[in-house]
Amino acid sequence: MANRLHGSTSPYLLQHRDNPVEWWEWGSDAFDEARRRDVPVLLSVGYAACHWCHVMAHESFEDDETAALMNAHFVNVKVDREERPDVDAVYMTATQAMTGQGGWPMTCFLTPSGEPFHCGTYYPPTPRPGMPSFRQLLSAVHEAWSSGDPKVRGMGESVVAQLREQAGPLQESVVDAAVLEGAATSLLGDYDRVNGGFGGAPKFPPTMVLEFLLRHHERTGSVEALSIVEGTARAMADGGLNDQLAGGFARYSVDAGWVVPHFEKMLYDNALLLRLYAHLARRTGVDRYREVAAATARFLLTDLATPEGGFAASLDADTDGVEGLTYVWTPAQLVEALGEEDGTWAATLLGVTETGTFEHGASTLRLLREVDDAPRWERIRRALLAVRAARPQPGLDDKVVTAWNGLAVSALAEAGTALGEPAWIAAAERAATLLLDLHLVDGRLRRTSRGGVVGTAAGVLEDYGCLAEALFVLHQATGATRWLDAGTALLDTALAHFTDHTAEGAYHDTADDADALVWRPSDPGDNASPSGASALAGALLLGASLAGEGPYGEAAELALTRVGILAARAPRFAGHWLTVAEAMESGPVQIAVVGSPESRAALVQAATAHAPGGTVIVAGEPDSTPLLSDRPLIDGNPAAYICRGYICDRPVTTPEALVAALS
């Protein structure tokens, strides 16, 4: 037997290809081997940018004695959670049910039929209070399994039966204006008025919740909602979460004050945050938000862009095995890089202290005050960035994930339109072309590719929802009908293969012909990125507005009837759902602008600047797309047609009249 990861396309799995552990990839062959040997499957799930995954790998999976125990008594399966979110979802649910918590690395022991009978996360190489060593755990599980006790083997069946029973769709309960108002009020109560954001440490960027609150403000005029958005956006932008030199946000802050990040940088976070800051810049006119949006876009286009035109999944938390090594500074390092005067000025501006805010006397970089000398700051920023570029750099997980690239396409296309950056729209088109040309195989999406080679894992619901929405946003940004046609085809496929036929409006996360797992995952909650069902609901609402045909509008409405309870009771885990519901409550708003490119430009600019979030805006010649059908010029002049749901205003021909109508 041997380690079987050498041929993998997953950077995470390739990190483990030289372990002495005899790893298998997920698949029927591994479970057949477990049945043949009558041993459990040891499932280890993680991802390439995960700090504690690296720690456990170094402590245990690279250790010969530990590997010998694993090889003798288990069939060992390594899974990249980003490549197989379905596998991760099933066993994370089991881990949380058994232990009350979850995270990565995730460690599960399964029967040869796949039922989990013992689950946990990180295990140390030596015992700690309340936690056995990993080798102790291996020995205990082996002894329990070898005893032949039917309770051990039956435990997995019992766990699966209970979780299947609990995993059904939520009861029907609509998300109406009252639920939206209640969610906003609840979030106001949870808001951290000192630091921004919600709750204590660790603190994740609540991007989708902020998008909801911004749309809620636009619809209702709520000052409180906007104050939460701006307070949190400022705190994140100025704190250690945001890379003050190169742009790009880390995954979360380990403290409540946004000082010290967990340094991994994920594509999905940065795509969602780019969209948020672009929306804020458009709505408020605040230069700082535009600067942050531009820096985040630059990070995507510089640090995460792949040669094929897509965007890589993440940058690692560690550099040479040390977390944050690339990013932190001491006062002496600033003086060495900049000289005494500039170094001292930068230390004061960026919160770099003698005692340090991170580890070993080093500090993360934060903007502690507004920059009063922009040219000086820009010169210093570039100088520090040059010094940092000479340091060891974190690893890049360069696989292209369909859903996350969809989020990036949406963000770049929408931000490029709102902020007048055509290069961002062009980058979005390149990424969308890659996804359609490479990831769409025989009409079905694949989850990932790497180096221009598509992977074998089937796309899940979030891949279809996020990419369909991205194509609809591109259609609005460019007017090209190919994006509209491709997006509606994805919606048709998703409705055909992911619908839960036992509960109207509910969806499974995997297709009806996907690899069978011990239960079919279906998680409606939004987390770090939109859930599959909420991503699809958003795409359906856009598709209904743009295509004007098919079952998309009704399907979007039905999907929202399944999340009223979630939105009311746990709005922090329903941010994207609430964002979609705000668009639906507003109509949704549609603006069709007809005329030649030159003549309609002022109307398009007014619509882009003043329309509320979630508005569909399409511009072109009359009858060139479905939304422009039967909408002629007015006395030979360009015109804008505004509709809210099924009610349309009289067309207007001047930017002033358009702004007044939107107000």
Side-chain angles (χ1 to χ4, degrees):
M1 296 177 68
N3 188 315
R4 294 164 174 79
L5 304 185
H6 285 266
S8 174
T9 57
S10 162
Y12 174 64
L13 267 57
L14 291 174
Q15 290 174 355
H16 295 268
R17 63 186 168 187
D18 295 322
N19 294 166
V21 178
E22 294 169 354
W23 290 115
W24 296 66
E25 291 196 53
W26 179 272
S28 59
D29 289 348
F31 289 92
D32 289 344
E33 178 67 9
R35 274 187 284 270
R36 186 188 70 80
R37 291 174 54 195
D38 190 26
V39 296
V41 169
L42 194 166
L43 173 65
S44 176
V45 182
Y47 58 103
C50 168
H51 170 70
W52 286 102
C53 299
H54 301 327
V55 172
M56 190 167 177
H58 176 68
E59 293 173 343
S60 295
F61 303 147
E62 296 172 9
D63 178 71
D64 289 330
E65 183 178 347
T66 303
L69 274 174
M70 295 172 67
N71 297 335
H73 303 311
F74 305 94
V75 170
N76 306 292
V77 175
K78 177 61 76 173
V79 167
D80 181 343
R81 67 171 294 263
E82 298 169 352
E83 193 172 60
R84 291 302 303 263
D86 52 340
V87 174
D88 177 67
V90 165
Y91 294 103
M92 183 58 71
T93 301
T95 300
Q96 292 170 331
M98 291 182 185
T99 68
Q101 60 186 5
W104 300 276
M106 179 166 60
T107 307
C108 295
F109 296 89
L110 320 178
T111 71
S113 298
E115 297 100 341
F117 62 89
H118 186 88
C119 294
T121 53
Y122 164 81
Y123 290 95
T126 56
R128 296 181 184 176
M131 183 183 295
S133 73
F134 188 50
R135 285 200 295 270
Q136 286 176 325
L137 176 67
L138 294 173
S139 297
V141 172
H142 165 63
E143 290 173 9
W145 182 267
S146 300
S147 71
D149 185 346
K151 292 182 181 178
V152 176
R153 301 180 185 230
M155 186 181 302
E157 294 180 4
S158 175
V159 168
V160 169
Q162 292 179 42
L163 292 177
R164 276 180 181 162
E165 187 176 336
Q166 298 171 11
L170 296 173
Q171 292 179 345
E172 290 184 84
S173 179
V174 298
V175 185
D176 55 15
V179 171
L180 294 171
E181 186 64 38
T185 301
S186 174
L187 291 166
L188 181 63
D190 291 341
Y191 179 55
D192 182 345
R193 296 177 182 274
V194 175
N195 300 301
F198 303 95
K203 187 171 278 184
F204 291 80
T207 317
M208 291 173 287
V209 166
L210 299 182
E211 282 278 8
F212 154 61
L213 289 170
L214 183 57
R215 290 193 184 183
H216 188 69
H217 160 74
E218 290 173 330
R219 183 176 63 84
T220 68
S222 168
V223 175
E224 293 86 357
L226 183 61
S227 71
I228 294 174
V229 178
E230 291 209 76
T232 304
R234 282 278 189 179
M236 293 191 300
D238 294 344
L241 191 77
N242 185 21
D243 186 338
Q244 304 297 338
L245 302 183
F249 287 82
R251 184 164 175 253
Y252 63 87
S253 173
V254 301
D255 59 278
W258 309 105
V259 177
V260 177
H262 191 49
F263 291 91
E264 66 204 59
K265 292 180 179 178
M266 312 301 296
L267 173 58
Y268 55 78
D269 281 324
N270 285 280
L272 291 166
L273 285 160
L274 167 57
R275 208 171 183 183
L276 171 68
Y277 282 98
H279 291 171
L280 260 178
R282 184 198 64 167
R283 179 55 54 218
T284 66
V286 174
D287 288 340
R288 177 61 174 153
Y289 302 143
R290 185 185 183 106
E291 291 169 3
V292 174
T296 308
R298 183 174 64 238
F299 167 72
L300 291 180
L301 298 175
T302 302
D303 291 64
L304 295 187
T306 70
E308 298 77 28
F311 296 97
S314 63
L315 278 175
D316 209 322
D318 296 359
T319 302
D320 291 348
V322 180
E323 187 177 12
L325 179 66
T326 304
Y327 301 105
V328 296
W329 299 80
T330 64
Q333 289 173 329
L334 292 180
V335 170
E336 181 182 1
L338 302 170
E340 185 70 36
E341 185 176 349
D342 278 351
T344 301
W345 185 83
T348 302
L349 175 70
L350 299 171
V352 179
T353 67
E354 291 294 340
T355 56
T357 58
F358 180 51
E359 296 174 353
H360 312 298
S363 296
T364 60
L365 301 187
R366 298 168 288 149
L367 277 181
L368 298 187
R369 55 180 171 81
E370 287 193 23
V371 176
D372 53 11
D373 189 341
R376 185 183 192 184
W377 164 235
E378 182 59 19
R379 173 172 53 81
I380 285 173
R381 186 188 70 81
R382 290 181 180 273
L384 292 179
L385 200 54
V387 172
R388 198 177 84 178
R391 295 176 174 178
Q393 298 297 304
L396 177 72
D397 183 341
D398 59 352
K399 69 176 178 290
V400 174
V401 179
T402 301
W404 303 355
N405 272 255
L407 294 174
V409 169
S410 292
L412 287 166
E414 204 162 275
T417 300
L419 303 182
E421 295 286 351
W424 301 356
I425 301 173
E429 289 190 278
R430 289 193 297 273
T433 299
L434 174 72
L435 295 173
L436 292 180
D437 289 350
L438 185 62
H439 286 218
L440 193 61
V441 180
D442 297 328
R444 303 293 290 277
L445 285 175
R446 299 282 178 86
R447 174 69 174 173
T448 63
S449 68
R450 184 169 183 253
V453 178
V454 69
T456 58
V460 295
L461 184 59
E462 68 167 352
D463 295 310
Y464 285 86
C466 291
L467 181 53
E469 176 166 341
L471 298 174
F472 295 147
V473 174
L474 260 186
H475 169 63
Q476 295 176 74
T478 66
T481 56
R482 70 167 294 207
W483 307 123
L484 176 62
D485 294 340
T488 55
L490 290 178
L491 291 186
D492 292 340
T493 302
L495 292 173
H497 291 284
F498 291 86
T499 297
D500 183 343
H501 296 289
T502 69
E504 197 171 47
Y507 293 91
H508 295 285
D509 290 330
T510 56
D512 51 11
D513 54 357
D515 293 343
L517 301 172
V518 290
W519 74 83
R520 195 175 172 190
S522 180
D523 183 0
D526 297 320
N527 206 306
S529 59
S531 68
S534 72
L536 182 65
L540 288 166
L541 189 60
L542 269 180
S545 296
L546 291 167
E549 59 185 34
Y552 309 139
E554 181 183 358
E557 292 179 9
L558 287 172
L560 281 166
T561 66
R562 286 287 167 186
V563 292
I565 293 175
L566 177 66
R569 296 181 181 175
R572 287 170 59 185
F573 298 95
H576 193 65
W577 283 113
L578 290 163
T579 301
V580 175
E582 276 290 346
M584 185 171 288
E585 187 67 25
S586 296
V589 180
Q590 301 165 306
I591 304 176
V593 183
V594 291
S596 65
E598 297 80 13
S599 67
R600 69 180 185 245
L603 286 171
V604 172
Q605 185 176 18
T608 301
H610 295 280
T615 296
V616 168
I617 303 172
V618 174
E621 302 286 352
D623 298 315
S624 58
T625 71
L627 196 60
L628 304 180
S629 296
D630 299 322
R631 283 170 171 162
L633 302 176
I634 303 298
D635 297 328
N637 295 314
Y641 294 79
I642 305 172
C643 297
R644 293 172 177 83
Y646 299 105
I647 302 172
C648 296
D649 298 339
R650 294 179 61 184
V652 297
T653 57
T654 67
E656 294 78 14
L658 176 56
V659 172
L662 290 172
S663 299

